[in-house]
Amino acid sequence: MERSSQRETRSFGAEVQQLLNIVVNSLYTDREIFVRELISNASDALEKLRYLKITQKNIADGELPLEIKIDLNKNEGTFVISDTGVGMTKEELIENLGTIAYSGSKKFVEHLVQGNERDVNLIGQFGVGFYSAFMVADRVEVYTRSYKQGEEGWIWSSCGAGTYTIEKAEGITRGTKVVLYLKEDAQEFADQNKIKEIIKKYSSFVPFPIFVNGERVNTIKALWTKNKNEITKEEYAEFYKYIANAYDDPLMTFHFTSDVPISISAILFVPEENFERFGLGRLEPGVNLYSQKILIQQKCEDILPKWLRFLKGVVDSEEIPLNISRESFQGSALAARLKKVITGRFLKFLKEQAEKDENKYSEFWKKFGSFIREGAATDGDFRDDLLELMRFQSSKLEPDKLTSLKDYVGRMKEEQKVIYYLNTPSRDMADSSPYMEAFRRQDLEVLYTDDAADDYIFNLIGDYKGKKIISIDQENLELPGPLGEKSKDEVFPKDEMEDFKKWLKGILGDKVSIIRESKRLVESPAVVLNPEGFTGGLQRAVQAINRELGMKSLKILEINFNHSLIKNLNILRNKDEQFAEKIAEQLFDNALLAAGFLVDTSTMVNRISEILEKAVTSIIID
Ligand code: ADP
Ligand code: MG
């Protein structure tokens, strides 16, 4: 093979440079992952080619066998991996190995740059696995030629420091060869036994022969076509690692086959972790679509609803014509049927899991509940099933226990007509919330939610199995029974109530829409309530985006006229009006805080200081 004299030097995209900095310069314990990443790329390239061979005629070097070769040379300190896959054109080389296109991958790089370098072993899950080669090599060369007829061969070369070169190469056949010049401290990766061991660990499901220095090291098996009873837990875990580029074990494994109404075999995995939870960007769909063991489409978008994008695995259906194009599958009746059947079966599986092992399901819910909520909020087709899968904390249960709507309804008292819930930022706030006073008095259970999506879903559905769902921070709340005896001592003079409310409204102005007497408070002096359909949870969500908008007041302030503070405040306003105003403002801020809203803390701190000073001085003078 000859090198041409025209060598072009180019710079990596900014994100690639950042990534390489971390990959090249840090020390890792699991550097061996590069083997898996390069094999996975070779395997992807081969799967693409196998599919193209069915759909297209003009494939360069059509007679080449589809296989992966790894050649190790201890003397030279090289690791070479070649495949006979689709290869790359010059444009593809520049695009694929010089820039980062996906926003998810960019987020991942950002995450690493922010000091989470240890997570670099997740590299394969974020579409930048190729660069892991620079963990062990101080120079990487890629020889490649596209399957497209008439394309030339190219050599890409880089030391991982800001730039790479590209030049034309003669005499290359279809596919890609990656040459790693191993670093001084990475010579172990030129060792046959070491590499064979690594392949066993991560790549035993690669559907093409792998040869290491001429010796075949894998047998090919399509796990999903095997009988469930013949598959061990370890095999599933291995398969998961292969299919998901993952290093952990799956949290849940669902293997199913069906013949009616449509022939499907599928293995779906719930991963151990949900990376969306850590702000690592939106997950890409993770299920590959096969027909008769041939990969039709990787990371297929059309096979599952968007809200199941956290699942990894394979779906194989013989009913998909092998030569179907991505475009004609997308939006087809077949795609819709597959989606419906697989989603239905998976949700049924989740329901069974929840019944079988409550703790495991709780773990699932904590990590992946956001996807179930997203489905319930956006997908009418599966909403009823998804509602059954939702979990909540409850005022009647320990903080580590969760409950379903169904179980809540099962515990409802006879006279209770509706389902009550409260959204607060934390469990502690829920328990100590003034909204809860009346419910504790009447021994009524309240569901606690901590996600505004729950409020949104409850608003959307309105009721569950004919029982209205009501947020207890709303103004028009009817309780089944009375609050019980009120203490006589604190009774507020009736004829002064109107005047007091007017005075208070004068101070608070637009911060509240209405001030009125409370029928629900016991221990707290005041509470803020929200108009129907705009619960505290939703308002806080808005407030997080736009403070002004969130504070716009539709809030109702209810006063507990049986509270000594209110009675005394009424006396105080005739004695020291200025000080009484301060107390009134603080009373309102306290009510906001108790409801989980933001307040202007600097104003509040100054005000509290004044109040404290006055309190201390008055006690000393007394
Ligand atoms: P990912 O495999 O998740 O897309 P990588 O960083 O591993 O991310 O690879 C980037 C891209 O480079 C691949 O998507 C593919 O287009 C291209 N590529 C890498 N290795 C090969 C190969 N052996 N044959 C053909 N294309 C390859
Ligand atoms: Mg890859």
Side-chain angles (χ1 to χ4, degrees), residues 413-456:
K413 297 176 159 199
E414 225 175 285
E415 67 274 17
Q416 187 183 342
K417 297 278 178 292
V418 304
I419 298 169
Y420 297 109
Y421 78 97
L422 175 64
N423 177 302
T424 51
S426 76
R427 167 80 189 213
D428 285 347
M429 280 191 80
D431 280 335
S432 61
S433 153
Y435 302 124
M436 284 302 297
E437 291 175 5
F439 289 83
R440 228 173 280 122
R441 276 270 165 128
Q442 296 195 10
D443 194 33
L444 290 166
E445 182 175 357
V446 176
L447 292 176
Y448 292 156
T449 74
D450 57 8
D451 195 310
D454 290 330
D455 292 39
Y456 176 81

Side-chain angles (χ1 to χ4, degrees), residues 7 9-10 12 20-21 23-25 130-131 133-142 156-165 179 181 183:
R7 186 183 298 179
T9 303
R10 294 176 155 262
F12 286 114
L20 282 172
N21 256 333
V23 170
V24 171
N25 296 322
F130 169 77
Y131 302 104
F134 289 96
M135 287 179 175
V136 295
D138 35 35
R139 191 150 63 90
V140 176
E141 286 175 352
V142 179
W156 178 103
S157 172
S158 177
C159 298
T163 60
Y164 60 93
T165 59
V179 181
Y181 297 90
K183 291 180 182 173

Side-chain angles (χ1 to χ4, degrees), residues 96-152:
N96 296 337
L97 305 186
T99 61
I100 295 179
Y102 298 113
S103 64
S105 317
K106 287 183 184 167
K107 279 255 165 71
F108 173 65
V109 175
E110 242 170 64
H111 171 79
L112 293 179
V113 170
Q114 283 159 8
N116 301 293
E117 298 183 359
R118 272 184 20 242
D119 290 345
V120 79
N121 65 346
L122 302 173
I123 196 162
Q125 292 178 58
F126 290 93
V128 284
F130 169 77
Y131 302 104
S132 66
F134 289 96
M135 287 179 175
V136 295
D138 35 35
R139 191 150 63 90
V140 176
E141 286 175 352
V142 179
Y143 297 74
T144 189
R145 181 151 154 232
S146 169
Y147 73 94
K148 291 174 191 155
Q149 290 284 5
E151 284 289 342
E152 290 164 303

Side-chain angles (χ1 to χ4, degrees), residues 37-38 40-45 48 83 85-88 92 96-97 102 123-124 126-131 144 175-178 245 299:
E37 296 306 332
L38 296 182
S40 138
N41 285 351
S43 173
D44 288 353
K48 283 180 199 158
D83 65 69
V86 285
M88 284 175 269
E92 285 166 345
N96 296 337
L97 305 186
Y102 298 113
I123 196 162
F126 290 93
V128 284
F130 169 77
Y131 302 104
T144 189
T176 303
K177 176 169 84 173
V178 183
N245 275 44
K299 301 182 175 168

Side-chain angles (χ1 to χ4, degrees), residues 48 56 60 72 180 196 211 215 323 337 366 373 431 448 502 515 544 565 574-575:
K48 283 180 199 158
Q56 291 186 21
L72 308 167
L180 271 57
K196 281 196 239 167
F211 298 91
E215 186 194 338
N323 59 359
R337 268 168 70 210
K366 277 176 201 139
R373 289 192 188 102
D431 280 335
Y448 292 156
K502 239 183 240 149
I515 296 177
L565 178 64
N574 295 320
K575 280 190 161 173

